[in-house]
Amino acid sequence: MKKALMILAMVFMAQSYGQEIKQVPQISVNGQAKVKVVPDQATITATVETKGSNAKDVKRENDKQIDAVLKVIKKNNIATADYRTQRVALNPQYDYDKKKTSYNATQTIEIIVRDLNQYDELMEGLVSEGVNRIDNVVFQSSSLAKHEAEARKLAMKDAQMKALDYVAVLGQKVGRAMTISDNSQNYSPQPVFARMKTMEMSDSNSSRETLAAGEIEISANVSVSFILE
């Protein structure tokens, strides 16, 4: 009997405590921001591809061209840490119509160009010495962390301004933040405007423009819950 009374008392106390707890008035908003930056470096992915009927000869020719390509990279004073072999492949290809097997050798090199003024000369040298496939060119900023931090701060300010706009109508005030969630996606360099452009000049000594790097966009997205006062 005493045990039952104790249980009932505990249940009653828990219910009374729950009733005394008040919900904290709050407002939840999202904040967004975008920072546009002119890129100051680029990552080039270039491939040398050779074909032939003899696997050994095809691989030898491919290695010869890659050697020339590496010399061009070094000539342009690209730091050793800024280029690497990304992929090497040698594959047979069977022609069912001719009933013959040929071979295809590829070597792909990734190069970081930290000075875009080198871009034209480097690209011309790569193609001249055997690169016959430009797989990708991605424009980037060397100050990415700084711009990401700026975008996050602007996103927080945007969330705060939204909360102030909503609450002002009700005659209340925005208090301290209770929760903050970062909803930003992992940054992947995507040029807002970037294209290869070749301008033919009648005078071979005239300068030519082959790069329009444009801008890259860095975004941040946050969710914030503020206490209402």
Side-chain angles (χ1 to χ4, degrees):
M1 183 69 179
K2 290 183 179 180
K3 187 176 181 181
L5 289 173
M6 288 180 64
I7 293 173
L8 287 172
M10 291 175 66
V11 171
F12 178 77
M13 289 175 64
Q15 290 177 343
S16 299
Y17 179 74
Q19 291 174 355
E20 291 176 359
I21 297 175
K22 296 181 180 179
Q23 293 290 330
V24 178
Q26 57 183 288
I27 180 173
S28 298
V29 292
N30 288 330
Q32 298 178 335
K34 294 180 180 179
V35 175
K36 291 183 178 181
V37 182
V38 176
D40 58 3
Q41 65 182 41
T43 299
I44 301 170
T45 306
T47 296
V48 172
E49 182 175 11
T50 53
K51 298 179 180 181
S53 58
N54 184 282
K56 187 176 180 180
D57 292 341
V58 169
K59 182 64 170 65
R60 184 186 294 113
E61 179 61 27
N62 195 269
D63 288 341
K64 179 181 177 181
Q65 293 183 26
I66 280 292
D67 179 64
V69 166
L70 291 174
K71 287 178 180 177
V72 168
I73 294 172
K74 293 175 182 177
K75 182 181 177 181
N76 280 268
N77 297 317
I78 304 296
T80 304
D82 288 342
Y83 62 93
R84 67 185 181 92
T85 299
Q86 188 184 76
R87 185 173 56 254
V88 178
L90 176 63
N91 298 306
Q93 295 181 329
Y94 186 72
D95 188 327
Y96 287 93
D97 294 330
K98 298 180 179 179
K99 300 186 183 302
K100 290 182 178 180
T101 299
S102 61
Y103 295 88
N104 183 42
T106 58
Q107 290 193 59
T108 301
I109 298 177
E110 186 179 80
I111 311 158
I112 299 175
V113 183
R114 298 192 183 277
D115 181 1
L116 291 182
N117 291 323
Q118 294 179 283
Y119 181 87
D120 284 331
E121 184 179 350
L122 177 61
M123 288 290 272
E124 186 174 345
L126 293 175
V127 174
S128 297
E129 295 300 332
V131 166
N132 45 20
R133 210 171 74 203
I134 301 296
D135 298 318
N136 199 16
V137 177
V138 178
F139 299 98
Q140 302 156 315
S141 170
S142 59
S143 302
L144 177 60
K146 182 183 76 173
H147 298 308
E148 286 179 331
E150 182 184 356
R152 286 192 291 267
K153 290 176 183 177
L154 291 173
M156 286 297 297
K157 288 181 180 179
D158 181 56
Q160 187 179 39
M161 290 301 298
K162 285 181 180 178
L164 289 170
D165 287 342
Y166 287 127
V167 171
V169 180
L170 305 175
Q172 293 177 283
K173 294 183 179 180
V174 175
R176 70 179 188 275
M178 288 187 65
T179 61
I180 301 173
S181 299
D182 186 357
N183 306 320
S184 304
Q185 300 294 320
N186 291 332
Y187 172 70
S188 177
Q190 294 294 332
V192 175
F193 171 69
R195 72 170 187 262
M196 295 290 291
K197 177 182 177 184
T198 301
M199 298 176 64
E200 293 184 0
M201 301 292 182
S202 57
D203 185 356
S204 60
N205 294 322
S206 299
S207 61
R208 59 193 177 95
E209 182 182 352
T210 62
L211 176 67
E215 293 179 326
I216 54 177
E217 193 174 86
I218 300 168
S219 60
N221 187 303
V222 296
S223 297
V224 187
S225 292
F226 295 98
I227 292 176
L228 294 180
E229 297 178 347

